[in-house]
Amino acid sequence: MELTLERSDLCQVGTISHLNTLALTEDKKSGRLRIVVGDDNGDVQAFEVKRGDAKSIFKTSAGKGGVQAVCTGGGKVKDRVFCAVGQVVVGLGRKGKQFFSLQSSLVEPIRFLSVDEALLFTGGEYAHSRYRDGADDGFYTCPDRITAMHVQRFADEHHVFLGCKDRRIRMVQKDELIGEISTERPASALTVREVTSRAYELIVGDEGGSISCYLCKESTLNTKEAWSIGGDAKVTCLACFDLTRDGQLDVVVGRADGLVEVISFGDGVPTVAWSQSLNEAIHSLRCGRVSSSSNDDIVVCTFAGRITSFSNEPMKVDVDAEASRAKEKIELLKKDVQELREKVHRAREKAQTSPSKASSSNRGFVPRGECSLDAERACYQISLELPVPIDLVHLRSSSSLDLLEDGADATAVVSTCEPDPRHDLPGKPPTKLLAAFRCQDDQHALRFCVRTVEGEPGDLRCVVVARGQPKIGRVVDFRVPALSLHRRVHELTADQLARPKNILTLEGTFTSQNAHDWLRSCLPECPPRTQPRSSSPRPTLQKEETSAKADEQKEDIPKDSLRYPRDDDDEFAEILKEAQACFPDAVREEAKEPEAKEEAPPEPAKPPPILDLQHRLCFENVYTGGCVECDYQENKARICSDSISALAILKEHISKEAVRLRQEVSDHLVLDEQSIPSFLRLIDPKLKYQRKLAERVELIDAIHEIATAEEDTRWLEEEYRYIHEHADELRKEHAKAPQALQYLTGVVADFFVDAMKARGIDGRPQLEKLDQLLLAASYDLDKLLAFFNPSMHKVPSRDGLNSLGI
Amino acid sequence: MEVSYKVRLEKQLEAGLCAVGRFDGNHPAVACAAGACGQVLLYDPHDELQVTTTSGAPPLRTLNFNKTITALDAGPLDPARTRAQAKTTRGVTPDENDDKVVRDVLLVGLGSALMVYDVDLNSDIFYRECPDGVFSCRFCTLQGTEQPLAVVGGNCSVVGFGWQGTELFWNVAGDDVRCVAPCEGDLLVGSDDYEIRIFRKEESIYEISEADKVVALCSLGKRGRFAFGLANGTVGVYKNNERRWRVKSKNALVALLATQTRDVAAGWSSGAVTLRSASNGQVLYRDTFDAPLCSLVCADLKLSGSVQLIAVGVDGEVRGYLPAVVERDTSKAEDDLRRKREIEQLQAEKRRLVGELRALEDQPQTPSDDAQGIPGDTQISLDVAAPVHGGGFELIVATSNETYVVGAVVLDTDGGLFDGETLSCAPARPTDKLGIIVRPKKNFPASLKLQIHVAARPMSTSIHVYEVDYKLPKFCRFYRVAEEVAQPSSWVKFDVPTNVQRVAQYLTQAFVSTEAVETEDNQVKAYYVGLDGSPLRVEATKDTTGTQVRVSTNDLATAAEVVQDISTALDVHELESEASFPDESRRLKETLEKVSTHNSIRVRLTAEMADGSSRVKALVLKAEDARLMADMPRMMRNYDELMRVNEGLIAEYNKRATNHEALLAALKQVNQVVQRASQLRVGKAKARVVADARRAIKKGDAAALLSLIATGRTGG
């Protein structure tokens, strides 16, 4: 279904860094809706749109600090607004007069707000409160940060949906949690699309840009998504409104990259019916009859404070009148601009003459910075936005990052330069990357991609310099965790659980929060506080069997895992003694069991024992597909991973951290031989694909040459014909990830070094051979697996074992 | 502008190799190079002899040159090849005016040879070996030569050939010549050493330094007015040898052309075509192709009576553009759009002003802001510090009070001085001072923009940005040292008609130094060290006519650069000099010897190759005969033999290729020495050195060449 929406820029307010600070209130007299918007200065302004012009109705200060949320309220006629500023909720009447004020008892600022007659719902960082007539009426604390809130009246109850950072959407009623959905990514916007009086659909927009729908019937939430639509940029706003006028509510979407979309359900199938980009992050979006009593509008408000409407019926006044109106508007604007120029000029002169101590430039603007992991491309996408044009962005990183070419904006000129070692501090990680992006034209936002290397944590400091006089810059900091390419998952899949895994055991005196903090410092997306174990069943068929075994297997470390094949018996006895000294319970004399294991290789690999430890966190590597599971409680933690590299990194960081905090922690790493081929099998298809791609791209020119010389190319081999016909796609794909192969071989090389180190071998001298093997035309998995056989490399020395801490 | 027609040739074309000419004297045809084996496709929409292909693509004529094509152009080179002559040759009676219409001929650069070909009569006009290579080729009419020339740019040299294939023009450039263009009788030459040279007759009258390799040049219809394009995506215009504007793009430039209306059209690897006004660089028109652009040409391909701009994409798409009819009575929609754009612009401006006003008014509002703000009287100072370890010098920025320099960005908008466009640093522990090491990659007086980030506290998130301009001295790769440096074995000596003080002043501003160069007893002694550690001494003493300057350095190129810069700065138009470069002379002698050995090897190898190829022909015949007679063993034997001969040929070819490359490298060196030797002089002497050197090289007279370096004259 075709939809045409006419865009008009209505007005301009101060910058708005918070979401949902725009509301539409009813006005009995005109039958149109008014726009009420709160900005970062704490000002709340109301506008009425008359013939495409926004006329101010009131402007009042709601308090000190930025307005963080605005919503409509009131009785039958929704003509009042409630605004959240800091910890205070203020109610404003039709004329902007304050009639209500509520101080929250919490220290958290109120970020989400919803009002239904006498009920008021707030959401802060972690807590959700419900007030009836200004008195406490309910309270719920989420385990992780709240990222979105929506309140839905259902029959006589109110369901509050809270989207949390831990990828769950919680359905809360008063103090109780009545439902929970696990999603792929944290929800960033929520809304409800009513279907019937007994059922509705919960629409979820997430940080990755997809929009999905969950059905809710009879106040029970279906945890399986009904449909889902993908997208590029984070969804910031969602609304439901019938813009297409087909009797079905459409979903209107606002995104962080400035795109506004309308999803309609023409044949019951969700399709994007209309979209337009404003190139500025959309921070609020509401629908209603604003510009006239017969037309529907989408009213959006951007980060920079621009308020724009999209009307579904173009103003059909005669064209000449329209033109003259536009001319008038231009004149008016010109006058405004002229006046402002003079004002600025005067102010500047004043600033120069007055010997005030503080220089100018202070408030100005707040940058919007976002850094998110792009799972598909395994890189971090960083976006920076200012309400004013950007002049230059300077980047400093203490972690070695690759700036990916294609992710950068086309207009910004990027250049990197060699860091000066004199500027590093001894004892602090040295600067690894210095880069500057010079922006051209009127660019308000800069987006670029960086690829991190696991095991190299660091800080990323961006100085964003704005255009204009005086020149001001703002600093935006990001932290790159050590295992930066991991993302949190609710639970591993059955397949991941079944993989052979290496185990890192930590014991000592520490609290569970300590252990949690260690993980938090190395892995992304960890909540600040420990989380209870999820009660949901684990996706494995052998669940009961394994849990029965759990107790007996808990501390078992196969003795032979400590033994290196070439060790002579004496040496082994010595190692064993040492190991037993460290872990008296762990290493038992159970020589037979591993042997049995060897004899029966076809037996499916056992999932690692489940520990009944209190807390559990699971992660997967978005690039290699490796996984990490962490179970921990007071004085004991156990981390399992099929990637020895991930464990090695964790071990290093945890011991460093423990030493720093003077905590006594002993760690012990058990290598499962089977995990190495299992992990290499994960990487192998990627490696093969990249090799093939590189080969194909190399052939393109030669094949083109043949194709131009010959009239008929049908005789070409199928593979070559494929290359000829898909040359452009192949080139694009290759250009997207030119260093992909290099990166992959790097991952394998790290893995090799870590795997050899775990056996007490210094693998570094062998790296050159490994590289040759990986890049050779004759590469195949078996050769690679054979290379990982430790007997190929030199006999371990005692030093090697010592370095392991055994 | 608007697209007036589109044609799809459905062939892959080679970027940059495209020319348009009236090969039959009547209508224009487009010639494009395709493939690596030297095909030229001719698209002639008015050739009635050709039939349309089944696929609907227009008919094309294919010319095979069997060698990689490196340059392509067309022009009326041979005045004798008129329309009448073609008709007479064909046995047709020529019309009245036919003898006045000179037909265009095709100039084809084939790696190391130039082929001039008459398309209409299908005959070669001449084939000339160009040992210096053919990187670019243009048809030019130059002041001082009577006949039109095919000008070829190669390894450090520019050669002009007349229609008989005789060399009528020769000159040197500093590096590989990527583009040549005629400009109202002058010749513009752009080379890989970032220089644009303007030759009038035999003399180079201007040399302009740009920021990157010069890849495209085109005249804008007046002397000294031309457009240029660089390898880094910059396009700009010079007028009276001063740059009027330039813009930089991320894409690679493939074509540059001045339209009939003297606007600058540029074609990009991204497939974009932009038309900019020559006077201010404003974009007049934009269009995009799906594929990278191949070339831009101007011709009246449709015989509509006016010349159109024609853009060709590498996928064979041809688009013709016509200037749009004068816009006044445009549709309402367009008017609306324009108004909307204006409103948008005004709103953006308003937003900016509101922001600025707020910034100015809000100053000392809240205490937290105060802590972040820096004192209003903060001053920034910029100093040049003594050289640091590892070469280069240091720019030191400092604040005047208790504030911290948290970072600095040095912007080189010209480009080419650093690896990227910027140098930046941000210390882990900021202080009130910050040193940035500058190691320029070339000697160029660029103006750098420094952005200095100052904050009240080291970790403050609010930063005040100061902007300071710094003009690099011309010889920014050399810095002055106080103690005497080792005496280099080579020197150049010349007289300038000024006093010693002027020379001292010049030295102070042209080199990186912390203090002024002083004169003592009418004598100046200054010592410099280059980035690579090489010493440079400049001494000046008063003599009878003025000042004698002696520049001692082991590098001929540096000496040449100093001489040229001094003479410009001191306004000297004629300058002779005396030089001694023993190392350079020895190397030159060796190179010349190498050239002659390579040449003799080449002749021998060519003869052997002819031998081999005749054997191949014989073997193919024999093998085929055997096959026809079903004598399989004999056929096998012959094919075996053929394979061996073929392998031998390939091996020979590889030898030839290496030999050829070595020869090219040697010739390039010779040309470079000639170029530098000429630059040790100024004015007439400079042109004379080039001309004499050419003669000496032709004769193989090494002694004359050496004496040219030393004295600027052959013999004596």
Side-chain angles (χ1 to χ4, degrees), chain B residues 615-634:
Chain B
R615 279 184 69 201
V616 165
K617 272 180 210 152
L619 281 170
V620 170
L621 280 180
K622 272 187 193 168
E624 279 303 285
D625 279 353
R627 190 178 63 85
L628 288 174
M629 287 191 287
D631 186 352
M632 288 305 148
R634 201 152 66 89

Side-chain angles (χ1 to χ4, degrees), chain B residues 346-569:
Chain B
L346 281 167
Q347 268 172 345
E349 173 78 7
K350 188 174 163 187
R351 214 175 320 158
R352 194 184 64 76
L353 287 167
V354 168
E356 197 177 329
L357 192 66
R358 202 167 286 147
L360 285 166
E361 281 173 349
D362 277 359
Q363 295 177 34
Q365 266 190 355
T366 45
S368 73
D369 283 345
D370 252 354
Q372 294 248 316
I374 61 165
D377 56 353
T378 308
Q379 299 279 325
I380 293 291
S381 61
L382 176 69
D383 281 311
V384 177
V388 285
H389 177 74
F393 62 96
E394 203 176 15
L395 288 175
I396 294 185
V397 289
T399 65
S400 56
N401 47 25
E402 297 270 297
T403 48
Y404 295 88
V405 183
V406 294
V409 181
V410 183
L411 279 158
D412 164 34
T413 41
D414 291 331
L417 276 187
F418 316 125
D419 281 329
E421 179 177 79
T422 55
L423 274 184
S424 61
C425 58
R429 180 183 288 157
T431 55
D432 60 346
K433 233 186 219 161
L434 180 63
I436 313 149
I437 298 175
V438 184
R439 294 193 182 100
K441 284 181 11 196
K442 57 172 188 175
N443 285 326
F444 184 70
S447 46
L448 302 177
K449 274 197 164 51
L450 272 79
Q451 244 191 30
I452 299 145
H453 299 166
V454 179
R457 276 171 290 129
M459 296 320 281
S460 175
T461 57
S462 170
I463 281 169
H464 199 93
V465 179
Y466 287 91
E467 283 187 319
V468 180
D469 289 338
Y470 176 70
K471 182 123 173 88
L472 269 184
K474 159 79 181 161
F475 291 94
C476 51
R477 284 173 61 83
F478 288 92
Y479 46 82
R480 188 160 172 234
V481 287
E483 62 275 12
E484 192 168 341
V485 292
Q487 175 69 46
S489 58
S490 314
W491 48 264
V492 58
K493 200 168 70 182
F494 52 90
D495 284 317
V496 284
T498 48
N499 54 18
V500 180
Q501 281 73 20
R502 276 289 299 278
V503 177
Q505 270 169 19
Y506 162 79
L507 290 174
T508 310
Q509 54 88 16
F511 287 85
V512 181
S513 43
T514 41
E515 51 197 62
V517 177
E518 299 290 337
T519 50
E520 252 176 61
D521 303 343
N522 269 331
Q523 264 199 342
V524 166
K525 275 199 174 111
Y527 309 113
Y528 302 95
V529 179
L531 261 180
D532 51 354
S534 60
L536 171 73
R537 295 164 67 118
V538 183
E539 288 138 308
T541 43
K542 190 171 186 253
D543 67 2
T544 47
T545 52
T547 308
Q548 187 179 64
V549 183
R550 184 184 162 113
V551 180
S552 312
T553 166
N554 284 328
D555 186 20
L556 181 58
T558 309
E561 230 175 318
V562 174
V563 173
Q564 291 298 312
D565 201 51
I566 284 191
S567 58
T568 329

Side-chain angles (χ1 to χ4, degrees), chain A residues 413 440, chain B residues 232-235 247-253 268 270 276:
Chain A
V413 182
Q440 296 175 326
Chain B
N232 65 7
T234 306
V235 168
V247 279
K248 197 170 170 185
S249 144
K250 259 191 145 174
N251 300 307
L253 181 76
W268 304 91
S270 61
R276 289 176 184 274

Side-chain angles (χ1 to χ4, degrees), chain A residues 254-421:
Chain A
R255 293 180 188 272
D257 63 352
L259 202 67
V260 182
E261 289 174 319
V262 176
I263 298 173
S264 75
F265 298 82
D267 326 306
V269 187
T271 40
V272 177
W274 174 90
S275 75
Q276 192 172 345
S277 178
L278 284 178
N279 293 320
E280 288 172 27
I282 307 292
H283 271 190
S284 302
L285 185 153
R286 304 275 165 162
C287 299
R289 296 185 171 173
V290 174
S291 51
S292 80
S293 48
S294 59
N295 299 342
D296 301 320
D297 296 82
I298 306 172
V299 181
V300 297
C301 161
T302 66
F303 164 62
R306 171 146 68 129
I307 298 171
T308 301
S309 79
F310 297 96
S311 173
N312 73 349
E313 224 170 83
M315 279 173 241
K316 286 197 178 121
V317 211
D318 81 300
V319 192
D320 284 332
E322 183 68 11
S324 66
R325 201 176 57 78
K327 266 183 206 148
E328 244 169 61
K329 200 168 177 182
I330 290 175
E331 286 308 311
L332 214 70
L333 269 170
K334 271 187 184 157
K335 221 174 87 191
D336 276 7
V337 166
Q338 192 53 41
E339 271 171 25
L340 271 169
R341 261 194 205 131
E342 274 164 28
K343 262 191 196 164
V344 167
H345 187 69
R346 254 178 278 138
R348 209 182 278 160
E349 266 178 3
K350 211 175 106 193
Q352 270 167 5
T353 49
S354 70
S356 81
K357 210 177 107 47
S359 85
S360 48
S361 86
N362 273 308
R363 280 188 51 84
F365 57 86
V366 186
R368 196 182 70 90
E370 252 170 38
C371 179
S372 58
L373 179 64
D374 183 338
E376 250 159 61
R377 294 178 52 213
C379 63
Y380 276 89
Q381 226 175 48
I382 295 175
S383 73
L384 298 163
E385 189 172 337
L386 291 186
V388 288
I390 303 179
D391 183 51
L392 183 120
V393 174
H394 183 229
L395 189 76
R396 183 186 74 187
S397 161
S398 57
S399 154
S400 32
L401 300 175
D402 270 344
L403 275 179
L404 297 184
E405 267 297 311
D406 62 307
D409 283 271
T411 51
V413 182
V414 196
S415 50
T416 53
C417 81
E418 202 58 34
D420 187 343

Side-chain angles (χ1 to χ4, degrees), chain A residues 605-642:
Chain A
K606 275 187 228 127
I610 294 179
L611 291 175
D612 275 331
L613 299 179
Q614 280 170 356
H615 310 290
R616 179 178 171 83
L617 290 170
C618 298
F619 300 89
E620 74 173 358
N621 187 314
V622 294
Y623 199 64
T624 61
C627 54
V628 176
E629 32 181 343
C630 318
D631 297 274
Y632 53 95
Q633 65 178 26
E634 208 174 320
N635 297 342
K636 193 184 279 174
R638 177 166 232 189
I639 303 163
C640 306
S641 170
D642 54 347

Side-chain angles (χ1 to χ4, degrees), chain B residues 61-138:
Chain B
R61 255 174 86 187
T62 310
L63 311 170
N64 278 311
F65 289 90
N66 295 327
K67 255 190 181 177
T68 310
I69 297 173
T70 51
L72 198 66
D73 201 18
L77 186 67
D78 183 355
R81 290 186 187 257
T82 55
R83 203 153 68 190
Q85 177 250 355
K87 283 189 177 169
T88 333
T89 319
R90 288 219 179 84
V92 183
T93 332
D95 291 339
E96 203 177 323
N97 286 325
D98 277 359
D99 57 337
K100 289 194 184 93
V101 182
V102 180
R103 288 175 298 122
D104 288 348
V105 294
L106 199 61
L107 317 177
V108 188
L110 300 167
S112 61
L114 174 71
M115 163 88 122
V116 178
Y117 175 76
D118 185 332
V119 177
D120 199 30
L121 293 179
N122 188 18
S123 64
D124 292 0
I125 299 170
F126 69 81
Y127 178 89
R128 257 309 281 255
E129 288 281 343
C130 303
D132 282 335
V134 182
F135 297 148
S136 51
C137 174
R138 278 295 278 276

